[in-house]
Amino acid sequence: SVVNFTTLLYTIKFEMLGCRKLARLSPPSLSRLLSHYKVAVVGSGPAGFYTTQELLKSTSSTFDVDIFEKSAAPFGLVRYGVAPDHPEVKNCISTFEEIASQPNVRFLGNVAVGYDLKVDELLQRYHVVVLAYGAGSDNSLGIPGEDAPGCYPSSKFVGWFNGVPDCSSLDPDLSGENVAVIGHGNVALDCARILAAPIEHLERTDIAEHAVKCLRERRGIRNVHLYGRRGLLQFQGTIKEVREFTKLPRVHLSVESDNVEDVRALIPQIPRNKKRLTELLIKHANTSQPGPDDIGVRLQFGWSPVEIQTDSSGHVSGLVLQKNLISGDMMSPSITPSSEHIEIPCSCIVTSIGSRVIKLPGIPFCDLTNRIPERESRVCEFHGGPIVPGLYTSGWARRGSDGVLATTITDSANTARTIQQDLEERGGVGVGGVGSGGVGVG
Protein backbone atom coordinates (compact mmCIF):
# COMPACT_ATOMS: atom_id res chain seq x y z
CA SER A 1 0.00 0.00 0.00
CA VAL A 2 0.99 3.66 -0.30
CA VAL A 3 1.40 3.95 3.50
CA ASN A 4 3.69 0.88 3.73
CA PHE A 5 5.79 2.05 0.78
CA THR A 6 6.13 5.52 2.35
CA THR A 7 7.10 3.89 5.64
CA LEU A 8 9.80 1.84 3.89
CA LEU A 9 11.23 4.94 2.18
CA TYR A 10 11.41 6.83 5.49
CA THR A 11 13.06 3.81 7.20
CA ILE A 12 15.82 3.81 4.55
CA LYS A 13 16.15 7.61 4.85
CA PHE A 14 16.48 7.44 8.65
CA GLU A 15 19.17 4.72 8.29
CA MET A 16 21.11 6.91 5.84
CA LEU A 17 20.85 9.90 8.20
CA GLY A 18 21.99 7.83 11.16
CA CYS A 19 18.61 8.02 12.94
CA ARG A 20 18.78 4.41 14.05
CA LYS A 21 16.11 4.69 16.77
CA LEU A 22 13.59 5.96 14.24
CA ALA A 23 14.66 3.38 11.70
CA ARG A 24 14.07 0.57 14.23
CA LEU A 25 10.45 1.61 14.86
CA SER A 26 7.90 -0.99 13.88
CA PRO A 27 5.97 -0.19 10.67
CA PRO A 28 2.70 0.64 12.58
CA SER A 29 4.54 2.98 14.99
CA LEU A 30 6.46 4.66 12.19
CA SER A 31 3.32 4.94 10.10
CA ARG A 32 1.55 6.64 13.02
CA LEU A 33 4.49 9.01 13.44
CA LEU A 34 4.30 9.99 9.78
CA SER A 35 0.50 10.22 9.78
CA HIS A 36 0.21 13.44 11.74
CA TYR A 37 -2.65 15.82 11.00
CA LYS A 38 -3.97 19.20 12.04
CA VAL A 39 -7.71 19.43 12.67
CA ALA A 40 -9.90 22.49 13.23
CA VAL A 41 -13.11 21.86 15.15
CA VAL A 42 -15.71 24.62 14.95
CA GLY A 43 -17.76 24.57 18.15
CA SER A 44 -16.81 23.63 21.71
CA GLY A 45 -19.98 21.84 22.79
CA PRO A 46 -20.42 18.08 23.21
CA ALA A 47 -20.12 17.31 19.48
CA GLY A 48 -16.86 19.23 19.22
CA PHE A 49 -15.25 17.65 22.26
CA TYR A 50 -16.47 14.11 21.66
CA THR A 51 -15.27 14.22 18.05
CA THR A 52 -11.90 15.46 19.32
CA GLN A 53 -11.80 12.68 21.90
CA GLU A 54 -12.45 10.02 19.27
CA LEU A 55 -9.69 11.38 17.02
CA LEU A 56 -7.19 11.38 19.88
CA LYS A 57 -7.92 7.69 20.49
CA SER A 58 -6.59 6.81 17.04
CA THR A 59 -3.85 4.17 16.95
CA SER A 60 -3.01 4.79 13.29
CA SER A 61 -2.57 8.60 13.27
CA THR A 62 -1.79 11.51 15.57
CA PHE A 63 -3.72 14.76 15.63
CA ASP A 64 -3.27 18.35 16.71
CA VAL A 65 -6.74 19.77 17.31
CA ASP A 66 -7.69 23.44 17.53
CA ILE A 67 -11.21 23.98 18.89
CA PHE A 68 -12.76 27.30 17.83
CA GLU A 69 -15.62 28.88 19.79
CA LYS A 70 -17.45 32.17 19.23
CA SER A 71 -18.02 32.57 22.99
CA ALA A 72 -15.27 33.26 25.49
CA ALA A 73 -15.93 30.05 27.43
CA PRO A 74 -16.18 26.46 26.14
CA PHE A 75 -18.70 23.60 26.53
CA GLY A 76 -21.70 25.09 24.70
CA LEU A 77 -25.12 23.86 25.82
CA VAL A 78 -23.60 21.77 28.61
CA ARG A 79 -22.46 25.00 30.26
CA TYR A 80 -25.37 27.28 29.38
CA GLY A 81 -28.27 25.07 28.27
CA VAL A 82 -28.70 22.57 31.10
CA ALA A 83 -31.26 23.29 33.82
CA PRO A 84 -29.55 24.29 37.09
CA ASP A 85 -31.28 21.49 39.02
CA HIS A 86 -29.75 18.88 36.69
CA PRO A 87 -26.08 19.06 37.73
CA GLU A 88 -25.52 15.40 36.81
CA VAL A 89 -25.91 16.29 33.12
CA LYS A 90 -22.88 18.59 33.47
CA ASN A 91 -20.63 15.78 34.69
CA CYS A 92 -19.25 15.42 31.18
CA ILE A 93 -17.53 18.80 31.63
CA SER A 94 -14.77 17.04 33.57
CA THR A 95 -14.21 14.84 30.51
CA PHE A 96 -14.09 17.90 28.27
CA GLU A 97 -11.60 19.62 30.60
CA GLU A 98 -9.39 16.55 30.44
CA ILE A 99 -9.53 16.58 26.64
CA ALA A 100 -8.75 20.33 26.54
CA SER A 101 -5.73 19.82 28.81
CA GLN A 102 -4.03 17.50 26.30
CA PRO A 103 -0.84 19.06 24.86
CA ASN A 104 -2.07 18.60 21.29
CA VAL A 105 -5.45 20.33 21.90
CA ARG A 106 -5.99 24.09 21.94
CA PHE A 107 -9.14 26.05 22.77
CA LEU A 108 -9.51 29.31 20.82
CA GLY A 109 -12.40 31.34 22.21
CA ASN A 110 -13.96 34.59 21.02
CA VAL A 111 -13.46 33.52 17.41
CA ALA A 112 -16.56 33.59 15.22
CA VAL A 113 -15.75 31.25 12.33
CA GLY A 114 -17.35 32.52 9.16
CA TYR A 115 -16.79 36.12 10.27
CA ASP A 116 -13.49 36.57 12.15
CA LEU A 117 -12.02 33.62 10.29
CA LYS A 118 -13.37 32.20 7.05
CA VAL A 119 -13.97 28.48 6.57
CA ASP A 120 -11.86 28.60 3.40
CA GLU A 121 -8.97 29.97 5.45
CA LEU A 122 -9.28 27.03 7.83
CA LEU A 123 -9.35 24.56 4.95
CA GLN A 124 -6.10 26.09 3.67
CA ARG A 125 -4.40 25.66 7.05
CA TYR A 126 -5.77 22.35 8.31
CA HIS A 127 -6.00 18.85 6.93
CA VAL A 128 -9.53 18.54 8.33
CA VAL A 129 -12.22 21.01 9.41
CA VAL A 130 -15.18 19.72 11.48
CA LEU A 131 -18.34 21.83 11.75
CA ALA A 132 -19.74 21.00 15.21
CA TYR A 133 -21.34 24.29 16.19
CA GLY A 134 -24.80 22.97 17.02
CA ALA A 135 -28.21 24.40 16.19
CA GLY A 136 -28.12 27.88 17.67
CA SER A 137 -31.19 29.59 16.23
CA ASP A 138 -34.68 29.18 17.74
CA ASN A 139 -37.54 28.18 15.47
CA SER A 140 -40.21 30.82 15.03
CA LEU A 141 -43.95 30.43 15.64
CA GLY A 142 -44.69 32.76 12.73
CA ILE A 143 -47.69 34.38 14.42
CA PRO A 144 -48.61 38.02 15.14
CA GLY A 145 -47.09 39.46 18.31
CA GLU A 146 -44.23 36.98 18.57
CA ASP A 147 -41.63 39.77 18.74
CA ALA A 148 -43.40 41.63 21.56
CA PRO A 149 -41.58 42.18 24.88
CA GLY A 150 -42.55 39.36 27.22
CA CYS A 151 -42.32 36.60 24.59
CA TYR A 152 -39.00 34.77 24.84
CA PRO A 153 -37.47 31.96 22.80
CA SER A 154 -36.40 29.17 25.13
CA SER A 155 -32.68 29.68 24.46
CA LYS A 156 -32.95 33.23 25.85
CA PHE A 157 -35.08 32.18 28.82
CA VAL A 158 -32.76 29.27 29.68
CA GLY A 159 -29.82 31.67 29.28
CA TRP A 160 -31.52 34.04 31.72
CA PHE A 161 -31.82 31.54 34.56
CA ASN A 162 -28.39 30.05 33.77
CA GLY A 163 -26.56 33.38 33.92
CA VAL A 164 -25.55 33.77 30.28
CA PRO A 165 -24.19 37.35 30.08
CA ASP A 166 -26.16 38.23 26.93
CA CYS A 167 -29.44 37.15 28.61
CA SER A 168 -29.01 38.54 32.13
CA SER A 169 -31.05 41.67 31.33
CA LEU A 170 -34.12 39.71 30.17
CA ASP A 171 -36.21 40.66 33.24
CA PRO A 172 -39.39 38.63 32.54
CA ASP A 173 -42.67 39.76 34.09
CA LEU A 174 -43.68 36.84 36.33
CA SER A 175 -46.23 38.75 38.39
CA GLY A 176 -49.27 37.43 36.52
CA GLU A 177 -51.19 34.28 37.41
CA ASN A 178 -50.50 32.54 34.09
CA VAL A 179 -47.35 31.76 32.14
CA ALA A 180 -47.58 30.00 28.78
CA VAL A 181 -44.89 27.66 27.46
CA ILE A 182 -45.26 26.61 23.83
CA GLY A 183 -43.85 23.15 23.27
CA HIS A 184 -43.80 19.67 24.82
CA GLY A 185 -40.11 18.77 24.71
CA ASN A 186 -37.58 18.52 27.53
CA VAL A 187 -36.48 22.14 27.21
CA ALA A 188 -40.08 23.28 27.58
CA LEU A 189 -40.39 21.06 30.66
CA ASP A 190 -37.17 22.53 32.09
CA CYS A 191 -38.54 26.07 31.69
CA ALA A 192 -41.85 25.09 33.29
CA ARG A 193 -40.13 23.38 36.22
CA ILE A 194 -37.97 26.42 36.99
CA LEU A 195 -41.06 28.63 36.83
CA ALA A 196 -43.06 26.39 39.18
CA ALA A 197 -40.48 24.93 41.57
CA PRO A 198 -40.42 26.07 45.20
CA ILE A 199 -37.80 28.71 45.93
CA GLU A 200 -36.05 26.46 48.45
CA HIS A 201 -35.58 23.87 45.68
CA LEU A 202 -34.03 26.46 43.35
CA GLU A 203 -31.77 27.92 46.05
CA ARG A 204 -29.98 24.57 46.32
CA THR A 205 -28.98 24.75 42.64
CA ASP A 206 -26.54 26.92 40.72
CA ILE A 207 -29.33 29.03 39.20
CA ALA A 208 -28.30 32.63 38.46
CA GLU A 209 -28.83 34.90 41.46
CA HIS A 210 -30.82 37.48 39.46
CA ALA A 211 -33.23 34.73 38.35
CA VAL A 212 -33.90 33.28 41.79
CA LYS A 213 -34.27 36.84 43.16
CA CYS A 214 -36.91 37.58 40.50
CA LEU A 215 -38.76 34.34 41.27
CA ARG A 216 -38.55 34.91 45.01
CA GLU A 217 -39.74 38.51 45.02
CA ARG A 218 -42.00 38.87 41.99
CA ARG A 219 -43.52 35.49 41.20
CA GLY A 220 -47.30 35.59 41.18
CA ILE A 221 -47.70 32.47 39.04
CA ARG A 222 -50.63 30.13 39.75
CA ASN A 223 -50.56 28.16 36.49
CA VAL A 224 -47.86 27.20 34.01
CA HIS A 225 -49.61 26.11 30.82
CA LEU A 226 -47.62 23.92 28.40
CA TYR A 227 -49.30 23.78 25.00
CA GLY A 228 -48.67 21.18 22.32
CA ARG A 229 -50.49 20.95 19.00
CA ARG A 230 -50.50 17.17 18.79
CA GLY A 231 -51.70 14.22 20.90
CA LEU A 232 -50.46 12.27 23.91
CA LEU A 233 -48.48 9.75 21.87
CA GLN A 234 -46.58 12.54 20.13
CA PHE A 235 -45.34 14.02 23.42
CA GLN A 236 -41.61 14.73 23.07
CA GLY A 237 -40.58 14.92 26.73
CA THR A 238 -39.02 12.06 28.66
CA ILE A 239 -40.45 10.19 31.63
CA LYS A 240 -37.69 11.48 33.92
CA GLU A 241 -38.62 15.08 33.22
CA VAL A 242 -42.35 14.47 33.72
CA ARG A 243 -41.80 12.51 36.92
CA GLU A 244 -39.84 15.38 38.43
CA PHE A 245 -43.02 17.48 38.61
CA THR A 246 -44.66 14.80 40.73
CA LYS A 247 -41.86 14.99 43.29
CA LEU A 248 -41.81 18.76 43.76
CA PRO A 249 -43.72 20.04 46.80
CA ARG A 250 -46.53 22.51 46.11
CA VAL A 251 -46.54 21.66 42.39
CA HIS A 252 -49.63 20.02 40.88
CA LEU A 253 -49.26 18.23 37.53
CA SER A 254 -52.30 17.73 35.32
CA VAL A 255 -52.66 16.40 31.76
CA GLU A 256 -55.50 17.74 29.62
CA SER A 257 -56.41 15.84 26.46
CA ASP A 258 -59.62 14.86 24.70
CA ASN A 259 -58.12 11.56 23.57
CA VAL A 260 -57.11 9.94 26.86
CA GLU A 261 -59.45 6.95 26.52
CA ASP A 262 -58.45 6.36 22.89
CA VAL A 263 -54.80 6.27 23.95
CA ARG A 264 -55.50 4.14 27.02
CA ALA A 265 -56.92 1.43 24.75
CA LEU A 266 -53.67 1.40 22.77
CA ILE A 267 -51.30 0.89 25.71
CA PRO A 268 -50.73 -2.86 25.01
CA GLN A 269 -49.50 -1.93 21.51
CA ILE A 270 -47.15 0.87 22.56
CA PRO A 271 -43.39 0.11 22.61
CA ARG A 272 -42.08 -0.42 26.12
CA ASN A 273 -39.95 2.74 26.30
CA LYS A 274 -42.96 4.87 25.33
CA LYS A 275 -45.51 2.83 27.30
CA ARG A 276 -44.28 3.86 30.77
CA LEU A 277 -44.31 7.53 29.80
CA THR A 278 -47.83 7.24 28.34
CA GLU A 279 -49.10 5.48 31.47
CA LEU A 280 -47.67 8.28 33.61
CA LEU A 281 -49.38 10.94 31.48
CA ILE A 282 -52.71 9.10 31.63
CA LYS A 283 -52.37 8.74 35.40
CA HIS A 284 -52.36 12.54 35.68
CA ALA A 285 -55.06 13.14 33.07
CA ASN A 286 -57.93 15.41 34.05
CA THR A 287 -57.01 15.26 37.74
CA SER A 288 -58.27 17.44 40.57
CA GLN A 289 -57.48 21.15 40.79
CA PRO A 290 -54.31 22.43 42.48
CA GLY A 291 -54.45 23.17 46.20
CA PRO A 292 -54.55 26.78 47.46
CA ASP A 293 -50.76 26.92 47.83
CA ASP A 294 -49.92 24.90 44.72
CA ILE A 295 -48.70 26.03 41.32
CA GLY A 296 -50.46 24.08 38.60
CA VAL A 297 -48.38 22.67 35.74
CA ARG A 298 -50.87 21.91 32.98
CA LEU A 299 -49.81 19.79 30.02
CA GLN A 300 -52.43 20.67 27.40
CA PHE A 301 -52.70 18.74 24.15
CA GLY A 302 -54.28 19.70 20.83
CA TRP A 303 -53.76 23.47 20.89
CA SER A 304 -51.92 25.71 18.41
CA PRO A 305 -51.01 29.34 19.19
CA VAL A 306 -52.40 31.74 16.58
CA GLU A 307 -51.80 35.20 18.11
CA ILE A 308 -49.92 36.86 20.94
CA GLN A 309 -51.88 39.78 22.36
CA THR A 310 -50.27 42.96 23.66
CA ASP A 311 -51.34 45.80 25.93
CA SER A 312 -51.21 49.53 25.19
CA SER A 313 -47.45 49.61 25.87
CA GLY A 314 -46.81 46.77 23.40
CA HIS A 315 -46.00 44.20 26.12
CA VAL A 316 -47.41 40.67 26.02
CA SER A 317 -50.83 40.50 27.67
CA GLY A 318 -52.34 37.26 26.41
CA LEU A 319 -52.25 34.28 24.08
CA VAL A 320 -54.88 33.13 21.60
CA LEU A 321 -54.96 29.41 20.80
CA GLN A 322 -56.88 27.33 18.29
CA LYS A 323 -58.22 23.89 19.14
CA ASN A 324 -57.01 21.00 16.98
CA LEU A 325 -59.18 17.97 16.31
CA ILE A 326 -57.07 14.84 16.74
CA SER A 327 -58.54 11.82 15.02
CA GLY A 328 -57.71 8.56 13.28
CA ASP A 329 -54.80 6.36 14.33
CA MET A 330 -53.51 7.79 17.63
CA MET A 331 -50.03 6.53 16.77
CA SER A 332 -50.00 8.86 13.77
CA PRO A 333 -53.15 10.96 14.05
CA SER A 334 -54.66 13.50 11.71
CA ILE A 335 -54.67 17.02 13.09
CA THR A 336 -57.37 19.36 11.84
CA PRO A 337 -57.77 22.95 13.06
CA SER A 338 -61.23 23.62 14.47
CA SER A 339 -63.21 26.83 14.83
CA GLU A 340 -62.77 26.78 18.63
CA HIS A 341 -60.45 29.40 20.13
CA ILE A 342 -59.45 30.31 23.68
CA GLU A 343 -57.67 33.35 25.12
CA ILE A 344 -55.29 33.03 28.08
CA PRO A 345 -54.28 36.23 29.88
CA CYS A 346 -50.53 36.15 30.57
CA SER A 347 -47.58 38.52 30.76
CA CYS A 348 -44.88 35.97 29.95
CA ILE A 349 -44.65 33.44 27.10
CA VAL A 350 -41.77 31.05 26.43
CA THR A 351 -41.55 29.40 23.01
CA SER A 352 -39.77 26.05 22.86
CA ILE A 353 -40.42 24.51 19.45
CA GLY A 354 -36.92 23.42 18.55
CA SER A 355 -33.94 25.10 16.99
CA ARG A 356 -32.23 25.13 13.63
CA VAL A 357 -28.71 25.19 12.31
CA ILE A 358 -27.30 28.63 11.55
CA LYS A 359 -25.96 29.22 8.06
CA LEU A 360 -22.35 30.31 8.34
CA PRO A 361 -20.77 32.33 5.53
CA GLY A 362 -18.68 30.19 3.25
CA ILE A 363 -20.23 26.78 3.91
CA PRO A 364 -22.75 24.86 1.80
CA PHE A 365 -26.25 25.12 3.24
CA CYS A 366 -29.75 24.05 2.23
CA ASP A 367 -32.34 26.70 3.12
CA LEU A 368 -35.16 24.25 2.43
CA THR A 369 -34.09 21.75 5.10
CA ASN A 370 -32.08 24.16 7.29
CA ARG A 371 -29.24 21.65 7.21
CA ILE A 372 -25.67 21.39 6.06
CA PRO A 373 -25.77 19.00 3.10
CA GLU A 374 -23.69 15.96 4.00
CA ARG A 375 -23.12 12.31 3.29
CA GLU A 376 -21.89 10.18 6.20
CA SER A 377 -20.59 13.36 7.91
CA ARG A 378 -18.77 14.55 4.77
CA VAL A 379 -20.04 18.01 3.78
CA CYS A 380 -21.33 18.18 0.21
CA GLU A 381 -21.63 21.19 -2.10
CA PHE A 382 -25.38 20.51 -2.19
CA HIS A 383 -27.66 17.58 -1.32
CA GLY A 384 -26.49 14.63 -3.37
CA GLY A 385 -23.65 16.71 -4.79
CA PRO A 386 -19.87 16.32 -4.71
CA ILE A 387 -18.05 16.22 -1.37
CA VAL A 388 -16.08 19.25 -0.18
CA PRO A 389 -12.58 17.83 0.50
CA GLY A 390 -11.55 18.08 4.14
CA LEU A 391 -14.86 19.46 5.44
CA TYR A 392 -16.97 17.41 7.87
CA THR A 393 -19.87 17.96 10.25
CA SER A 394 -20.93 16.42 13.54
CA GLY A 395 -23.70 16.62 16.16
CA TRP A 396 -26.65 18.94 15.82
CA ALA A 397 -24.90 20.87 13.06
CA ARG A 398 -25.17 17.65 11.05
CA ARG A 399 -28.57 16.25 12.01
CA GLY A 400 -30.49 19.19 13.50
CA SER A 401 -31.62 19.60 17.12
CA ASP A 402 -32.50 15.97 17.63
CA GLY A 403 -31.36 13.48 20.23
CA VAL A 404 -29.71 13.55 23.64
CA LEU A 405 -26.09 13.49 24.80
CA ALA A 406 -25.74 9.77 24.11
CA THR A 407 -26.87 10.38 20.52
CA THR A 408 -24.16 13.00 20.09
CA ILE A 409 -21.51 10.63 21.47
CA THR A 410 -22.43 8.04 18.85
CA ASP A 411 -22.62 10.65 16.10
CA SER A 412 -19.19 12.06 17.02
CA ALA A 413 -17.63 8.60 16.95
CA ASN A 414 -19.05 8.03 13.46
CA THR A 415 -17.69 11.38 12.25
CA ALA A 416 -14.22 10.64 13.64
CA ARG A 417 -14.29 7.18 12.04
CA THR A 418 -15.17 8.71 8.66
CA ILE A 419 -12.32 11.23 8.95
CA GLN A 420 -9.76 8.54 9.77
CA GLN A 421 -11.02 6.34 6.97
CA ASP A 422 -10.63 9.17 4.46
CA LEU A 423 -7.13 10.01 5.71
CA GLU A 424 -6.00 6.39 5.50
CA GLU A 425 -7.46 5.90 2.03
CA ARG A 426 -5.41 8.85 0.82
CA GLY A 427 -2.21 7.25 2.01
CA GLY A 428 -1.41 9.74 4.73
CA VAL A 429 -1.97 12.78 2.53
CA GLY A 430 -4.25 15.45 3.99
CA VAL A 431 -7.75 15.60 2.59
CA GLY A 432 -8.09 19.38 2.97
CA GLY A 433 -6.36 22.17 1.12
CA VAL A 434 -3.00 21.84 2.88
CA GLY A 435 -1.83 18.63 1.25
CA SER A 436 0.74 16.94 3.46
CA GLY A 437 1.41 20.10 5.47
CA GLY A 438 -1.09 21.60 7.86
CA VAL A 439 0.10 24.78 9.46
CA GLY A 440 -2.81 25.65 11.74
CA VAL A 441 -3.26 29.15 13.10
CA GLY A 442 -1.56 31.24 15.75
Side-chain angles (χ1 to χ4, degrees):
S1 72
V2 175
V3 173
N4 288 338
F5 181 67
T6 304
T7 301
L8 177 61
L9 289 178
Y10 271 89
T11 302
I12 296 170
K13 186 175 181 180
F14 289 146
E15 284 280 8
M16 293 174 63
L17 293 173
C19 303
R20 298 186 184 279
K21 287 185 178 180
L22 290 175
R24 286 197 297 271
L25 286 173
S26 65
S29 299
L30 186 55
S31 175
R32 187 169 187 268
L33 176 68
L34 299 175
S35 302
H36 183 80
Y37 304 103
K38 285 193 172 290
V39 177
V41 174
V42 182
S44 67
F49 271 100
Y50 283 126
T51 302
T52 299
Q53 182 184 51
E54 291 299 319
L55 290 173
L56 297 182
K57 289 179 182 177
S58 172
T59 58
S60 59
S61 305
T62 59
F63 295 92
D64 286 334
V65 182
D66 288 346
I67 301 175
F68 293 87
E69 170 60 51
K70 67 177 181 180
S71 301
F75 312 143
L77 281 180
V78 175
R79 179 186 290 272
Y80 291 128
V82 174
D85 55 349
H86 284 176
E88 71 283 355
V89 180
K90 297 185 179 185
N91 289 342
C92 60
I93 285 180
S94 59
T95 300
F96 299 164
E97 288 173 336
E98 183 179 344
I99 295 168
S101 69
Q102 299 300 308
N104 51 339
V105 176
R106 292 193 302 173
F107 171 75
L108 302 168
N110 276 329
V111 180
V113 171
Y115 300 92
D116 301 328
L117 194 60
K118 304 299 183 187
V119 174
D120 281 348
E121 292 177 298
L122 292 179
L123 285 169
Q124 291 168 13
R125 289 168 170 80
Y126 292 86
H127 298 97
V128 170
V129 176
V130 182
L131 303 174
Y133 58 87
S137 179
D138 293 273
N139 287 329
S140 170
L141 291 172
I143 62 174
E146 186 176 6
D147 297 328
C151 181
Y152 309 106
S154 58
S155 66
K156 299 295 184 186
F157 194 75
V158 171
W160 172 71
F161 62 65
N162 273 339
V164 177
D166 291 348
C167 304
S168 59
S169 61
L170 210 64
D171 196 27
D173 181 359
L174 304 180
S175 61
E177 289 192 359
N178 296 306
V179 172
V181 179
I182 313 300
H184 275 174
N186 278 347
V187 176
L189 297 177
D190 285 343
C191 293
R193 192 177 61 258
I194 296 301
L195 287 164
I199 295 300
E200 61 268 23
H201 171 81
L202 297 175
E203 287 176 332
R204 294 193 296 268
T205 73
D206 64 352
I207 188 173
E209 181 56 37
H210 61 256
V212 77
K213 183 175 186 290
C214 175
L215 288 161
R216 184 191 303 116
E217 297 177 0
R218 295 164 52 190
R219 181 167 66 178
I221 301 169
R222 303 295 303 141
N223 292 289
V224 180
H225 304 264
L226 292 102
Y227 293 106
R229 67 184 183 88
R230 297 185 293 176
L232 280 170
L233 291 179
Q234 288 71 54
F235 183 72
Q236 294 296 302
T238 59
I239 190 169
K240 175 182 178 293
E241 300 275 346
V242 176
R243 192 175 282 143
E244 283 184 276
F245 288 108
T246 69
K247 297 177 180 179
L248 288 173
R250 302 188 302 283
V251 171
H252 180 273
L253 175 66
S254 64
V255 174
E256 301 172 25
S257 168
D258 293 338
N259 302 95
V260 172
E261 296 309 317
D262 294 331
V263 172
R264 193 193 303 272
L266 291 173
I267 283 182
Q269 305 173 36
I270 299 173
R272 184 175 179 274
N273 62 331
K274 191 80 172 177
K275 180 185 294 186
R276 292 169 57 236
L277 170 61
T278 306
E279 289 173 336
L280 180 61
L281 293 174
I282 289 176
K283 178 181 177 181
H284 291 275
N286 307 316
T287 53
S288 58
Q289 292 299 307
D293 297 323
D294 293 345
I295 292 179
V297 174
R298 303 173 60 180
L299 282 169
Q300 296 171 265
F301 292 83
W303 292 98
S304 293
V306 293
E307 181 187 356
I308 292 171
Q309 299 171 320
T310 56
D311 58 22
S312 58
S313 69
H315 193 278
V316 166
S317 63
L319 177 65
V320 181
L321 299 114
Q322 183 177 40
K323 180 70 174 175
N324 294 323
L325 301 177
I326 300 174
S327 58
D329 180 3
M330 290 295 109
M331 298 284 196
S332 182
S334 333
I335 298 174
T336 310
S338 75
S339 58
E340 181 182 350
H341 291 74
I342 58 170
E343 296 182 10
I344 301 294
C346 56
S347 56
C348 179
I349 297 172
V350 179
T351 64
S352 182
I353 54 171
S355 55
R356 61 185 185 275
V357 182
I358 296 173
K359 179 180 180 179
L360 291 184
I363 67 164
F365 197 82
C366 177
D367 293 316
L368 186 63
T369 61
N370 281 311
R371 299 283 180 85
I372 299 170
E374 54 84 32
R375 188 159 61 249
E376 295 181 340
S377 300
R378 303 172 181 94
V379 175
C380 303
E381 293 180 11
F382 50 87
H383 281 297
I387 290 168
V388 180
L391 191 58
Y392 299 81
T393 182
S394 184
W396 281 8
R398 186 186 76 80
R399 66 181 190 274
S401 57
D402 175 57
V404 294
L405 202 58
T407 318
T408 297
I409 293 173
T410 301
D411 192 60
S412 301
N414 291 338
T415 299
R417 191 178 304 114
T418 298
I419 291 169
Q420 292 180 79
Q421 176 186 326
D422 289 352
L423 290 170
E424 290 169 5
E425 286 181 355
R426 284 156 180 77
V429 178
V431 295
V434 295
S436 58
V439 295
V441 298

